[in-house]
Amino acid sequence: MAEKILVVDDEKEIADLLEVYLKNDGYTVYKFYNGADALHCIEETELDLAVLDIMLPDIDGLKLCQKIRENFYYPVIMLTAKITDGDKITGLTVGADDYITKPFNPLEVVARIKTQLRRYTRYNKLAPKKETEMQEYDIRGLLINKDTHKCLLFGKELQLTPIEFSILWYLCERQGSVVPSEELFEAVWGEKYFHNNNTVMAHIGRLREKMQENARHPKFIKTVWGVGYTIEK
């Protein structure tokens, strides 16, 4: 069955172009030029990924992303005319998984979409289960279940993005061991790690915020400086 992609951009030419490229690759596309129509689609349609322009005439893309994260875990890619560290942090805060800066090559967008869908399939609810594979960890009040894709901290559910869930799951699987940043990045993102890549650190920071962790004295995700991260037994 064709995966369903939401495309929202008030620049008609961009939305139409992405629709053509995505349909040529076999995807089902739900295209809108404003946030209100897109929001209705989000609430009524079972989607697999969303591509959202940040600047929209009514409901901006960040607010749409926030609405998606209230109920859904599928990947969200943001489109923006310019990108700063502040923009990325804001996007991570509301649950974006990737950013693409305009102008862009539509083939790059399609490639990024395929990468995000592959990650989502590999690490989340669509991933095939092994009979001997653990599906749940309970670590001092942190309960994470791969089968239901839910994470509870002292009984309260954490609203995690697919990437955040994958990071936490990977660390829980290796509880008691230090996971190097390079290994964590390559395992979760499925790409080669390059020096000075702050992606893992930014996502760990956001995870700690959601877990209300003190970054200097965390109870769960601890930093081993110069090496990586660990969840102690």
Side-chain angles (χ1 to χ4, degrees):
M1 187 172 63
E3 289 157 311
K4 300 174 183 177
I5 311 297
L6 172 67
V7 174
V8 190
D9 199 311
D10 62 335
E11 294 184 62
K12 187 176 184 298
E13 296 80 4
I14 290 178
D16 293 349
L17 185 64
L18 288 178
E19 179 185 34
V20 169
Y21 274 81
L22 288 168
K23 283 188 172 180
N24 284 344
D25 257 75
Y27 296 107
T28 298
V29 179
Y30 295 82
K31 177 187 65 178
F32 301 97
Y33 306 124
N34 63 75
D37 290 340
L39 182 59
H40 180 73
C41 178
I42 289 166
E43 293 171 343
E44 299 295 329
T45 309
E46 187 176 337
L47 299 166
D48 295 293
L49 182 143
V51 180
L52 310 175
D53 185 24
I54 289 182
M55 299 300 293
L56 293 170
D58 48 1
I59 307 172
D60 68 51
L62 292 173
K63 289 181 180 176
L64 285 177
C65 182
Q66 198 169 22
K67 290 297 291 183
I68 288 172
R69 287 292 172 252
E70 289 177 2
N71 298 295
F72 306 107
Y73 297 108
Y74 55 76
V76 176
I77 297 175
M78 307 301 301
L79 301 179
T80 178
K82 61 179 181 177
I83 189 67
T84 66
D85 287 342
D87 294 328
K88 288 183 178 179
I89 291 170
T90 301
L92 287 174
T93 299
V94 298
D97 296 284
D98 197 4
Y99 274 89
I100 297 176
T101 307
K102 299 178 182 179
F104 53 72
N105 184 330
L107 290 175
E108 179 190 355
V109 180
V110 174
R112 297 272 197 100
I113 286 171
K114 288 179 178 178
T115 298
Q116 289 294 336
L117 288 172
R118 190 162 57 244
R119 292 170 186 161
Y120 183 53
T121 300
R122 182 177 177 184
Y123 290 104
N124 296 283
K125 64 179 182 180
L126 300 180
K129 291 190 293 186
K130 299 176 184 177
E131 288 185 9
T132 58
E133 186 180 86
M134 286 286 290
Q135 294 301 311
E136 184 174 276
Y137 290 95
D138 189 348
I139 303 172
R140 303 187 307 279
L142 174 66
L143 180 67
I144 185 168
N145 189 297
K146 191 175 183 181
D147 194 32
T148 62
H149 202 278
K150 287 188 176 182
C151 181
L152 303 178
L153 183 60
F154 304 123
K156 182 179 179 181
E157 184 173 356
L158 300 178
Q159 298 298 324
L160 304 182
T161 69
I163 291 291
E164 290 166 352
F165 185 92
S166 298
I167 289 172
L168 192 55
W169 180 262
Y170 196 85
L171 291 173
C172 287
E173 278 189 312
R174 287 149 186 81
Q175 182 188 359
S177 300
V178 179
V179 179
S181 299
E182 296 90 340
E183 177 186 334
L184 190 55
F185 180 86
E186 292 177 5
V188 173
W189 276 265
E191 298 175 2
K192 183 68 177 175
Y193 180 90
F194 293 100
H195 189 58
N196 293 329
N197 188 331
N198 293 322
T199 303
V200 172
M201 183 173 66
H203 280 80
I204 291 289
R206 182 56 188 154
L207 259 174
R208 284 174 172 159
E209 285 182 23
K210 291 186 175 182
M211 297 169 72
Q212 297 184 340
E213 286 261 80
N214 184 325
R216 292 181 178 274
H217 304 286
K219 294 180 180 178
F220 293 99
I221 305 175
K222 298 192 175 183
T223 301
V224 180
W225 295 108
V227 183
Y229 301 93
T230 184
I231 293 181
E232 296 177 346
K233 289 186 177 180

